[in-house]
């Protein structure tokens, strides 16, 4: 990387203040999915999966004990096999539009806004993994029946929510989940392992105080060519299309700076590795080979721990894909969801 590029990347990172955990966009020409042993092929126009779903969702709101309101959308047949999606930091239910469009014709696709994101309010509790865990527990109790367990899909902070939930509510894992997909996520060392900032060799790690300051900065995101390039550099591969980058930029900018900063501070010291002991259902770990925010080193660690406990189903590394694994390669991502749903 040239000194000019490095300077741009550093300015970009400071400007986005940790845009990190989730931006969404996608372009797909052909979507293939297997259901109950039958392979279906759906022709999709370029970027068609980015559109707002035409299917009207069932909307509900869950009020937590501390006064937060969690906004929930459920698409597809009420009696369909449930898939619960948990989005990442700075995003919203809109993050999962590609999956809603691809899967809700057959499955019950359930999405919710993380606390403070989208239409969910922040409540009075201090932000942290326990809150992520308890909120997911509330969503599962409200949307999933014990006789019809769900596949849980979490991207980035959404994956952390699933892990934290398993650690804090271990009795609910077998009760509500049939399988789990942890995508582009980590359980600890988020700052230490990031490769977003291209440091010289004498600085092999991002100093924790620097990383924490960046993640917690409540800076507004101002639309500009530099910001657009920053979003692509931080969260997506160089292969991402302008439409994909634009779509994810629009979603991220909707996140309030105070919420982005608050959750960034909470995640900067995250350590929930012990929760993996309680994730006792078949679990796939998935990551893009070009993920800078949660590099493959995190996925390999998660896979190793789960494998030793006998609960790893697969480790998938998607070549040439960045942090936005669920949208930079929709076909492979959705194919794995359907495979887990059909276990």
């Amino acid at each position: 990387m040239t000194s000019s590029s490095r300077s741009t990347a550093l300015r970009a990172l400071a400007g986005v203040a940790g845009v990190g955990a989730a931006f969404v966009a996608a372009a797909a020409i052909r979507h293939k999915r297997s259901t109950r042993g039958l392979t279906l092929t759906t022709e999709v126009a370029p970027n068609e999966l980015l559109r707002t779903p035409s299917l009207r969702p069932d909307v509900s709101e869950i009020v937590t004990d501390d006064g937060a309101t969690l906004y929930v959308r459920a698409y597809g047949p009420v009696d369909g096999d449930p898939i619960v999606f948990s989005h990442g930091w700075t995003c919203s239910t809109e993050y999962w539009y590609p999956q809603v469009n691809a899967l809700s014709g057959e499955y019950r696709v359930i999405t919710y806004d993380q606390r403070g994101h989208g239409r969910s309010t922040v409540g009075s509790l201090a932000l942290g993994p326990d809150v992520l865990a308890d909120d997911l527990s509330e969503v599962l109790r409200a949307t999933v029946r014990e006789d019809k367990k769900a596949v849980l899909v979490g991207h980035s902070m959404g994956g952390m929510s699933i892990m934290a939930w398993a650690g804090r509510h271990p009795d609910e894992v077998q009760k509500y989940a049939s399988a789990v997909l942890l995508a582009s996520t980590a359980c600890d060392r988020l700052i230490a392992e990031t490769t977003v900032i291209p440091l010289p060799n004498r600085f092999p790690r991002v100093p924790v105080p620097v990383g924490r300051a960046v993640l917690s900065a409540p800076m507004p995101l101002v639309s500009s060519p530099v910001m657009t390039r920053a979003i692509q550099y931080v969260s997506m591969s160089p292969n991402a299309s302008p439409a994909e980058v634009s779509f994810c930029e629009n979603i991220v900018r909707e996140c309030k700076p105070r919420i982005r900063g608050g959750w960034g501070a909470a995640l900067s010291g995250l350590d929930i590795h012990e929760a993996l002991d309680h994730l006792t259902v078949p679990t796939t770990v998935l990551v893009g080979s070009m993920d800078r925010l949660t590099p493959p080193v995190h996925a390999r660690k998660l896979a190793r721990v789960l494998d030793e406990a006998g609960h790893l189903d697969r480790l998938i590394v998607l070549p040439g894909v960045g942090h936005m694994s669920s949208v930079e390669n929709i076909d492979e991502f959705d194919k794995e969801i359907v495979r887990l749903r059909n276990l």
Side-chain angles (χ1 to χ4, degrees):
M1 175 176 283
T2 67
S3 59
S4 174
S5 298
R6 182 179 294 111
S7 176
T8 298
L10 289 170
R11 289 197 307 271
L13 180 68
V16 297
V19 198
F23 310 103
V24 61
I29 304 299
R30 177 181 296 266
H31 177 71
K32 295 182 179 179
R33 57 191 174 92
S34 298
T35 67
R36 297 189 177 88
L38 177 65
T39 299
L40 302 180
T41 301
T42 304
E43 296 291 343
V44 182
N47 296 310
E48 180 68 13
L49 293 178
L50 296 176
R51 63 178 170 79
T52 300
S54 58
L55 187 64
R56 183 183 297 275
D58 295 320
V59 174
S60 60
E61 294 183 340
I62 301 169
V63 179
T64 66
D65 290 342
D66 71 308
T69 300
L70 304 178
Y71 179 82
V72 182
R73 288 174 172 172
Y75 298 84
V78 174
D79 60 348
D81 291 332
I83 307 171
V84 176
F85 291 87
S86 183
H87 71 74
W89 176 38
T90 77
C91 283
S92 63
T93 56
E94 282 81 358
Y95 172 80
W96 297 113
Y97 277 178
Q99 281 64 49
V100 171
N101 285 322
L103 302 174
S104 61
E106 177 169 355
Y107 301 101
R108 185 65 166 175
V109 175
I110 300 161
T111 67
Y112 70 102
D113 283 330
Q114 296 272 20
R115 179 178 293 239
H117 294 70
R119 297 164 185 79
S120 292
T121 61
V122 70
S124 62
L125 291 176
L127 302 180
D130 286 353
V131 171
L132 293 174
D134 290 348
D135 287 352
L136 177 56
S137 176
E138 293 279 1
V139 170
L140 293 175
R141 285 202 295 266
T143 62
V144 178
R145 306 196 313 262
E146 292 181 45
D147 63 338
K148 208 172 187 63
K149 299 178 184 180
V151 170
L152 308 187
V153 181
H155 176 265
S156 202
M157 190 176 81
M160 298 166 199
S161 301
I162 293 173
M163 288 183 277
W165 163 75
R168 188 166 169 85
H169 301 279
D171 57 312
E172 295 184 0
V173 175
Q174 295 286 340
K175 185 176 181 180
Y176 292 119
S178 63
V180 165
L181 173 56
L182 300 176
S184 307
T185 191
C187 61
D188 59 9
R189 296 177 59 81
L190 292 174
I191 293 174
E193 301 292 355
T194 183
T195 60
V196 167
I197 304 177
L199 295 174
N201 290 335
R202 67 180 181 276
F203 295 114
R205 304 292 184 195
V206 177
V208 171
V210 172
R212 182 177 295 116
V214 170
L215 295 181
S216 61
M219 297 176 66
L221 304 184
V222 180
S223 179
S224 71
V226 170
M227 180 59 63
T228 300
R229 290 195 298 272
I231 287 174
Q232 181 164 4
Y233 172 79
V234 170
S235 67
M236 309 177 88
S237 75
N239 306 317
S241 71
E244 294 170 348
V245 176
S246 175
F247 184 49
C248 74
E249 183 179 0
N250 290 337
I251 289 177
V252 171
R253 241 200 257 113
E254 289 297 315
C255 185
K256 299 178 181 67
R258 180 175 64 88
I259 296 299
R260 186 178 64 248
W263 274 115
L267 296 177
S268 64
L270 181 83
D271 186 349
I272 52 173
H273 71 277
E274 292 182 355
L276 290 171
D277 294 339
H278 303 286
L279 201 52
T280 55
V281 294
T283 300
T284 289
V285 179
L286 182 148
V287 69
S289 67
M290 300 181 70
D291 189 337
R292 291 187 176 97
L293 283 164
T294 52
V297 63
H298 286 295
R300 295 190 183 101
K301 176 180 178 179
L302 294 175
R304 182 175 65 253
V305 174
L306 290 166
D307 191 38
E308 289 172 354
H311 303 303
L312 177 69
D313 199 72
R314 284 185 179 180
L315 169 63
I316 299 174
V317 180
L318 298 176
V321 168
H323 187 64
M324 302 309 298
S325 54
S326 59
V327 295
E328 291 189 62
N329 195 331
I330 299 175
D331 286 347
E332 292 303 316
F333 195 90
D334 291 357
K335 185 186 298 181
E336 183 60 17
I337 294 173
V338 173
R339 191 191 69 82
L340 290 171
R341 181 63 277 178
N342 290 335
L343 287 179

